[in-house]
Amino acid sequence: MNEQQWTAMDEYLCDRTQTPDEALEAALKASTQAGLPAISVAPNQGKLLQMLARMSGARRILELGTLGGYSTIWLARALPVDGTLLTLEAVEHHADVARGNIERAGLSGVVSVIVGDAVDTLEAFVRDGIPPFDFIFLDADKQSYPAYLRLVLRLSRAGTVIVADNVVRQGRVEDADSIDPDVIGVRRFFDMLAADAHVSSTAIQTVGTKGWDGFSVSIVS
Ligand code: SAH
Ligand code: DHB
Ligand code: MG
């Protein structure tokens, strides 16, 4: 089996489960044109995020790592009209591209892109005592996943769902001797989940247009 087959299968699944969407396609195109890396979630992953957010009845969504706003658009569409999505991005240029894409998708009213290191922004949220989020998507730098988890748990309530992207990295995360900061970060993240009696988790490997990777899903109690 190879990546070409995974991609062909992904394309078949997306074709059978999704209808072409102008705003999402425009977001990818604008992101490529602006020189952003092609590391957004795949369309079927984006739809899964949207469905998980809907299933959890989310009214307040937090995203770490906006890039061009592709996953943001999927998630924001899960919200009721009075819902809110805050998405945190370190790179000003990414945030600019994302704002354009979000505007074109008609979602500027529910989405705020906040520029800065996500750790700083989250610390400010904790200090300010903002209301908890219902659904949280971790997708910024992988080496900071432990810091992100510690902070987002302080912005959660019983029932908050936390999804973390890229927790497999072509199987590299299984290597306990890895010196890759991303791998070390994801492994510490899993250690924290394992040690926390108030969080129940699973993690799933994926293959497809984005290669071999995976995501975790956690619920806070
Ligand atoms: N969620 C996006 C992809 C995000 S890629 C999607 O699926 O469409 C990861 C993003 O995290 C990049 O845009 C990167 O600039 C941002 N990032 C990296 N380190 C960060 C940090 N410390 N704080 C906030 N964002 C960061
Ligand atoms: C990378 C980051 C991501 O969020 C992703 O989905 C895929 C790859 C990366 O930094 O390589
Ligand atoms: Mg990702």
Side-chain angles (χ1 to χ4, degrees), residues 39 41 139 142 165-166:
I39 56 173
V41 294
D139 197 21
K142 317 309 164 196
D165 196 21
N166 312 114

Side-chain angles (χ1 to χ4, degrees), residues 39-41 63 65-67 70-71 88-91 94 116-118 137 139-141 148:
I39 56 173
S40 315
V41 294
E63 176 179 66
T66 315
L67 193 65
Y70 182 77
S71 54
L88 316 188
E89 175 54 55
V91 179
H94 295 181
D117 186 320
F137 179 46
D139 197 21
D141 58 307
Y148 295 149

Side-chain angles (χ1 to χ4, degrees), residues 3 9 16 34-35 37-38 61 76-77 103 108 110 118 138 157 162 169 177 195 201-202 213:
E3 200 143 339
M9 190 65 213
R16 295 292 77 200
I61 298 177
R77 287 177 172 171
E103 173 79 47
S108 297
V110 286
L138 303 188
R157 52 155 175 90
I162 302 171
R169 312 311 301 266
D177 300 322
S201 302
T202 188
D213 214 320

